[in-house]
Amino acid sequence: MPAQKGWTLIELLTAIAVIAVLAAILLPVLHQAREKARQATCISQLKQLTMATLTYAQDYDEVLPCFWDYYDGEGKLGGWIFYSVFGECLQGNFDPTKGSIYPYVRNAQIYTCPSDRCRQGNSYAYNGALSVNPVVRVGPGFHFGFPLAAVQEPSVVVMFTEEETHHGSTNDGHQLPNGDQTTTRHHGRSVFSFCDGHVKALLPDSVPSPSYRYWPYLP
């Protein structure tokens, strides 16, 4: 029986080079596909949270949820989301089950974006101007819900987005308009929801600041 011919060193190096080239081509494509799937999941989750928020408003005389911000809200109930420590990436720091919209969701897992590496229990931030005593006017503390009927153009008014702070995720579950940064974890995009219920992944710079302002409380 004739001996089987093995690979020569040149053939082996050539095969390795071909595999390396294919990997260099395919890995970025696979990464993009995986991130696109995560983005789709994030859109679905934020859609559920937004619809839950609108349902909450229907049950509370057309008034949207309240929220806490900054250190003032540590361990305090009454907001749309509950957090124990401000500005720290700690597992379990956010507890959705203690938030005001949780009875309309009943699923704590949808509060975390699959691309959020912090995994602290919540990835999403409520618009800080969506209050009758907005953060941009009165500073930190407890902020009462905004009347839904006062939102003049709900299709262009932001409700939720994905905030990015020093640890890569939201620090208190609210977004300070024209102040806090929005994440770009979805290939340069962030997921935004609007007061009419629709949700999109957009470039943060493409969302104009008027989207964060609410008549008649803000100019």
Side-chain angles (χ1 to χ4, degrees):
M1 181 176 180
Q4 292 184 350
K5 182 181 177 182
W7 287 44
T8 67
L9 179 60
I10 294 177
E11 290 173 333
L12 184 60
L13 292 175
T14 301
I16 293 173
V18 170
I19 292 172
V21 170
L22 290 174
I25 295 172
L26 293 175
L27 287 179
V29 174
L30 293 173
H31 174 72
Q32 290 182 5
R34 183 171 62 248
E35 183 52 46
K36 198 70 176 176
R38 290 174 175 172
Q39 177 183 294
T41 298
C42 190
I43 289 173
S44 174
Q45 292 181 168
L46 204 47
K47 176 72 172 180
Q48 294 177 68
L49 289 177
T50 300
M51 297 311 296
T53 301
L54 292 172
T55 304
Y56 169 97
Q58 295 295 323
D59 287 346
Y60 287 89
D61 297 324
E62 294 284 309
V63 175
L64 291 165
C66 306
F67 62 92
W68 285 95
D69 76 297
Y70 206 57
Y71 293 100
D72 303 50
E74 290 185 341
K76 303 285 182 60
L77 298 172
W80 82 273
I81 188 72
F82 173 93
Y83 59 97
S84 300
V85 182
F86 170 78
E88 296 293 337
C89 180
L90 302 170
Q91 187 173 6
N93 186 31
F94 284 87
D95 185 351
T97 67
K98 295 180 180 178
S100 60
I101 69 170
Y102 184 76
Y104 301 88
V105 180
R106 294 290 179 185
N107 184 357
Q109 313 234 331
I110 70 170
Y111 287 72
T112 299
C113 169
S115 294
D116 186 351
R117 296 181 180 179
C118 190
R119 319 302 292 179
Q120 60 184 342
N122 176 50
S123 303
Y124 305 113
Y126 194 68
N127 192 323
L130 199 62
S131 169
V132 295
N133 56 333
V135 180
V136 292
R137 286 280 180 84
V138 300
F142 185 75
H143 300 275
F144 293 96
F146 193 82
L148 189 58
V151 180
Q152 301 297 300
E153 296 181 90
S155 64
V156 297
V157 175
V158 172
M159 179 180 287
F160 287 102
T161 189
E162 301 175 273
E163 183 183 16
E164 183 168 357
T165 62
H166 69 280
H167 60 64
S169 189
T170 185
N171 52 16
D172 54 11
H174 98 275
Q175 175 88 351
L176 179 63
N178 301 321
D180 291 334
Q181 297 297 310
T182 302
T183 186
T184 55
R185 63 172 64 103
H186 301 294
H187 291 308
R189 296 172 181 264
S190 179
V191 177
F192 292 84
S193 76
F194 296 82
C195 287
D196 68 342
H198 84 277
V199 182
K200 285 185 177 180
L202 300 168
L203 296 171
D205 291 343
S206 71
V207 180
S209 58
S211 296
Y212 291 102
R213 297 178 183 174
Y214 301 88
W215 177 261
Y217 300 98
L218 293 176

